[in-house]
Amino acid sequence: FKRSINLLKIPRNRPISQLTASLRRMHPSRRPSLPGLLFGLRNVFGVGIGLLGWSHVYACAQPEESINPGHRDLAKVKCQKGKPSVVIIGMRGAGKTTLSAAAGSELGLSVIDVDTEIERYIGTNIKSFINSNGWKAFRDAENKVFMNILNEHPYGSVIACGGGIVVTPSNREVLKSHPRVVEIVRDIEDIVAYLELDKTRPAYAIQSTRDTYNERIPWFNECAGWHFVIARGDKNWKSTEQDFSALIRLVQNGRLTHSKFR
């Protein structure tokens, strides 16, 4: 075991990406087994890391041609699942659920819709719950569900939030500290036109859609590191989905500095 680990010549402070690269460069006959890798990291370097985390590193290090063809899709999914989750925010009607689903399908990531999880938690649909209990009760439930999702799904997921996730101050603090938050920015006129056709959503407490949009812009800006902008009147959703998936891939891999995209 010790010999297997020493073959990698890995200093203590080497990041996971470099460990993966080291494994890739090794001849298959000399590459340590996963149990050997785990044992060596713990006993030679004193690094105690769970099986799940390192199994993803090991899987990603295997050359594709060395993987059983029947298992390549599974290996790709395992590799993706070891990468940090990306949180999606934006105004109601911006396209968060649709684009998150497209990115998840394209990249092999789990897709978690916060509103869907809230409805599972409260046992009814959001509109009925708000009509019966008010917005304050809903925001409390939203906060609890959102925190649970972040704790339970730190890797391998696209997490699509409701438009009002930024209303609660504690949610904003968590979002600002999260390393991968993307805002979907859609023109307010397109949002209004879309929402006028959708009668399943609860009405805003007091403000109009435009007033709510203007109030939340600063919150979205402070919470998101990346901003995916959909041009006004753009109805080519196939192209939009492809561009969004490309952005999520770059963000998840840490290859794109904070900026506006598209």
Side-chain angles (χ1 to χ4, degrees):
F1 290 137
K2 183 174 181 179
R3 177 179 175 276
S4 296
I5 290 300
N6 285 340
L7 285 172
L8 294 173
K9 297 181 173 61
I10 305 167
R12 287 178 181 271
N13 62 347
R14 176 159 302 183
I16 289 176
S17 59
Q18 293 187 32
L19 170 59
T20 301
S22 296
L23 284 166
R24 277 188 180 278
R25 287 194 297 268
M26 294 184 69
H27 189 275
S29 64
R30 304 184 73 192
R31 188 177 296 123
S33 66
L34 177 57
L37 176 62
L38 293 170
F39 183 90
L41 285 168
R42 179 179 294 276
N43 291 280
V44 177
F45 294 103
V47 178
I49 298 177
L51 177 64
L52 182 60
W54 283 110
S55 64
H56 128 261
V57 173
Y58 189 82
C60 292
Q62 307 305 307
E64 184 172 332
E65 61 272 14
S66 71
I67 302 174
N68 185 315
H71 298 162
R72 286 176 186 170
D73 288 344
L74 178 59
K76 177 182 177 182
V77 170
K78 285 185 176 180
C79 185
Q80 292 289 354
K81 284 189 175 180
K83 298 176 182 178
S85 294
V86 181
V87 179
I88 311 302
I89 63 174
M91 185 66 178
R92 175 193 294 187
K96 300 183 296 296
T97 299
T98 300
L99 294 178
S100 294
S105 177
E106 174 67 22
L107 304 178
L109 302 171
S110 300
V111 180
I112 301 170
D113 187 276
V114 175
D115 283 351
T116 298
E117 296 304 313
I118 292 172
E119 290 186 335
R120 184 176 288 113
Y121 172 72
I122 61 180
T124 185
N125 65 72
I126 290 173
K127 186 174 183 179
S128 297
F129 182 83
I130 292 174
N131 288 340
S132 300
N133 301 278
W135 278 97
K136 174 64 168 58
F138 170 72
R139 292 300 176 205
D140 290 343
E142 178 184 57
N143 174 258
K144 182 173 182 178
V145 171
F146 181 52
M147 296 302 148
N148 287 341
I149 289 172
L150 292 181
N151 289 331
E152 294 173 5
H153 302 277
Y155 302 105
S157 300
V158 179
I159 301 170
C161 299
I165 197 74
V166 296
V167 170
T168 304
S170 59
N171 288 345
R172 295 201 298 273
E173 292 305 312
V174 170
L175 287 167
K176 285 189 287 186
S177 66
H178 194 282
R180 287 166 172 78
V181 179
V182 177
E183 178 198 6
I184 298 176
V185 183
R186 191 178 184 188
D187 187 88
I188 185 58
E189 299 306 322
D190 289 341
I191 289 176
V192 170
Y194 171 75
L195 292 178
E196 286 178 349
L197 300 175
D198 186 353
K199 305 303 181 184
T200 64
R201 303 172 189 251
Y204 289 117
I206 300 174
Q207 299 170 310
S208 68
T209 299
R210 290 181 177 84
D211 290 338
T212 302
Y213 181 84
N214 290 330
E215 178 187 50
R216 293 179 183 175
I217 286 175
W219 296 336
F220 289 136
N221 287 338
E222 70 177 286
C223 292
W226 294 266
H227 307 270
F228 182 81
V229 181
I230 303 173
R232 181 174 182 177
D234 187 351
K235 297 182 180 180
N236 187 349
W237 278 96
K238 183 64 175 177
S239 174
T240 301
E241 289 174 356
Q242 292 172 347
D243 289 347
F244 185 73
S245 297
L247 171 63
I248 297 305
R249 187 193 301 275
L250 292 171
V251 169
Q252 194 183 41
N253 289 334
R255 295 176 181 172
L256 190 67
T257 56
H258 293 202
S259 63
K260 286 191 174 181
F261 185 80
R262 209 170 184 260

